[in-house]
Amino acid sequence: MPTQKPIKHYLQFSDLTLEEYEYVIERAHLIKRKFKNYEIYHPLIDRTLVMVFEKNSTRTRLSFEAGMHQLGGAAIYLNTRDSQLGRGEPVEDAGQVMSRMCDIIMVRTFGQDIIERFAAHSRVPVINGLTNEHHPCQVFADIFTYYEHRGSITGKTVAWVGDANNMLYSWLQAAEVFGFHVNVSTPKGYDMDMSLVSTDRFTFFDNPSDACQGAHLVNTDVWTSMGYEEENAARLKAFDGWIVDSAKMARAAPDALFMHCLPAHRGEEVSADVIDGPQSVVWDEAENRLHIQKALIEYLLLGRIDTQ
C-alpha cells in the first residue's frame, strides 16, 4: 500500500517556511501564465474541495471554487445555515465526516479555535479562508502581487493604517517569514492584541501619516470588520484621520504601492483618488487570490512537483 504523506494544514501564515512560500510563489507564476494563455492544466482530476462558510464572502468563494474547477477538480459549497453545523453539530464531528468524503477543505469562520479544532479532526488538509484572528490566503496573495510589481519584499517596509484586525496579524507573521518591517498605526482603543504577535519586526506610530513615511507598500482595510457591525458608529468616530489619502501616500516611497483586501468604502478608510489611482494594485491583488490559492492547493495535495 502507498505510504500516507503527513497532512499539512494552512491555518495561519506561519504554517509554511520561507522555502515553501518561494516554491508556491514560483508555482503560482506558472499556473497564472497557463491560465492567461488558456492552457488546460488539470493536476487535480477527481479531487474535491469542500468550502465551509460561516461568514459571507465574494472573493474567497469565487477564487477557491473557480480555482478548483480550473485545476480539474470539483468544489462543494456549504454554509452553516444549510448544514448540520448550523444545528449544533460539534466542529470535531464535522471535521471527521467531511474529511472522509473529500480531499481538501477550506473553512471561513469566526474564532481561530474553531478551525484549529476542525483541522485536528480532519484526515485531509484544511485551509483558513478567514478567521477573526488570521487571513493568511489574502496576505499570501498580497505578497505575490508585490513580487509581480516590485520583486522581493524582503527588507522592505509595509505600512498598516487602520484597525488591528486579522489582516494585520497575518502581515506581522509574514514579516517574520519574509524578513520585512511593518509600520503600524491604529487608533487608541483599537490596539494590537499582543498575544497574537510573535515578532519584533514592527514599529508603532500614533500618527498614521508618520507610519507611511518611506513605506514601499501602504495597506489598509475596512474600519468595521465582519462581526463588529454593532460598533460601526463608534469606529467611524474613533478612526477619524486614519483614511489613506493622497497626503499619506505622498509620504511613502515614490514607487510605493497601495493595497486593500476589499470590499472598500471610499471616503472612509481610503480616498477614491488613492484606491482608483496609479499606485493602487487592488484589482491585481484580488485576482491573485485565485492564482496563489491554486498553487497552494496543488502543494498541499501533491507536494513538490516538477515544473510543467
Side-chain angles (χ1 to χ4, degrees):
M1 293 182 64
T3 302
Q4 181 70 33
K5 70 183 184 71
I7 298 171
K8 177 174 281 293
H9 302 300
Y10 190 61
L11 307 183
Q12 51 186 305
F13 201 93
S14 59
D15 284 344
L16 298 185
T17 65
L18 177 60
E19 183 182 18
E20 288 176 307
Y21 275 114
E22 289 176 339
Y23 167 79
V24 177
I25 286 172
E26 179 184 341
R27 294 298 301 171
H29 282 302
L30 182 147
I31 290 170
K32 182 174 182 176
R33 186 166 62 249
K34 288 180 179 292
F35 174 80
K36 296 295 185 181
N37 292 334
Y38 295 94
E39 296 179 31
I40 294 175
Y41 180 58
H42 288 168
L44 299 183
I45 291 175
D46 204 31
R47 301 291 185 102
T48 304
L49 164 72
V50 167
M51 307 179 298
V52 182
F53 286 87
E54 195 171 10
K55 285 190 173 187
N56 295 335
S57 170
T58 299
R59 281 150 293 275
T60 296
R61 179 178 177 181
L62 183 58
S63 57
F64 273 105
E65 190 163 344
M68 194 63 182
H69 285 298
Q70 291 164 15
L71 291 172
I76 298 173
Y77 171 82
L78 294 176
N79 65 56
T80 51
R81 295 184 300 277
D82 301 334
S83 67
Q84 296 297 339
L85 277 170
R87 300 180 65 243
E89 181 174 24
V91 171
E92 293 80 0
D93 292 0
Q96 288 270 14
V97 172
M98 291 182 193
S99 65
R100 286 171 177 256
M101 300 185 186
C102 67
D103 301 283
I104 191 165
I105 300 171
M106 186 282 299
V107 179
R108 183 177 173 95
T109 187
F110 288 91
Q112 181 75 11
D113 65 301
I114 296 173
I115 197 170
E116 297 279 355
R117 288 160 52 205
F118 189 102
H121 291 81
S122 173
R123 294 184 171 199
V124 301
V126 176
I127 297 174
N128 183 348
L130 177 143
T131 62
N132 289 346
E133 293 85 358
H134 299 284
H135 200 358
C137 287
Q138 180 65 61
V139 173
F140 196 178
D142 294 356
I143 289 174
F144 178 62
T145 304
Y146 191 89
Y147 267 67
E148 285 189 320
H149 285 267
R150 297 289 186 266
S152 174
I153 198 169
T154 299
K156 304 299 185 183
T157 297
V158 175
W160 180 266
V161 177
D163 192 18
N165 62 9
N166 49 11
M167 284 291 296
L168 172 57
Y169 298 123
S170 288
W171 270 111
L172 290 170
Q173 287 193 353
E176 186 66 23
V177 174
F178 280 87
F180 58 87
H181 196 81
V182 184
N183 289 350
V184 180
S185 184
T186 63
K188 294 187 184 304
Y190 297 90
D191 310 297
M192 292 186 290
D193 179 351
M194 295 308 295
S195 69
L196 297 173
V197 178
S198 56
T199 183
D200 60 0
R201 291 182 174 274
F202 71 92
T203 303
F204 185 82
F205 294 84
D206 292 320
N207 185 325
S209 294
D210 293 342
C212 297
Q213 182 65 42
H216 302 94
L217 170 60
V218 179
N219 212 320
T220 191
D221 194 1
V222 295
W223 291 341
T224 305
S225 299
M226 285 180 288
Y228 299 91
E229 288 81 3
E230 292 182 359
E231 302 177 8
N232 189 55
R235 283 173 174 264
L236 289 178
K237 183 177 180 180
F239 283 76
D240 183 37
W242 264 260
I243 183 173
V244 176
D245 53 19
S246 57
K248 292 184 180 66
M249 289 300 298
R251 295 191 62 179
D255 64 344
L257 300 177
F258 171 77
M259 291 189 189
H260 189 307
C261 62
L262 305 176
H265 299 144
R266 289 166 175 79
E268 289 186 12
E269 74 275 4
V270 61
S271 62
D273 61 334
V274 169
I275 193 171
D276 299 318
Q279 291 175 282
S280 174
V281 291
V282 298
W283 314 121
D284 292 341
E285 178 188 3
E287 178 191 332
N288 280 336
R289 287 287 302 278
L290 172 71
H291 309 300
I292 206 70
Q293 288 163 190
K294 287 167 69 175
L296 176 65
I297 290 170
E298 179 193 70
Y299 176 63
L300 294 179
L301 285 180
L302 303 182
R304 289 175 179 265
I305 60 177
D306 293 333
T307 301
Q308 300 181 32

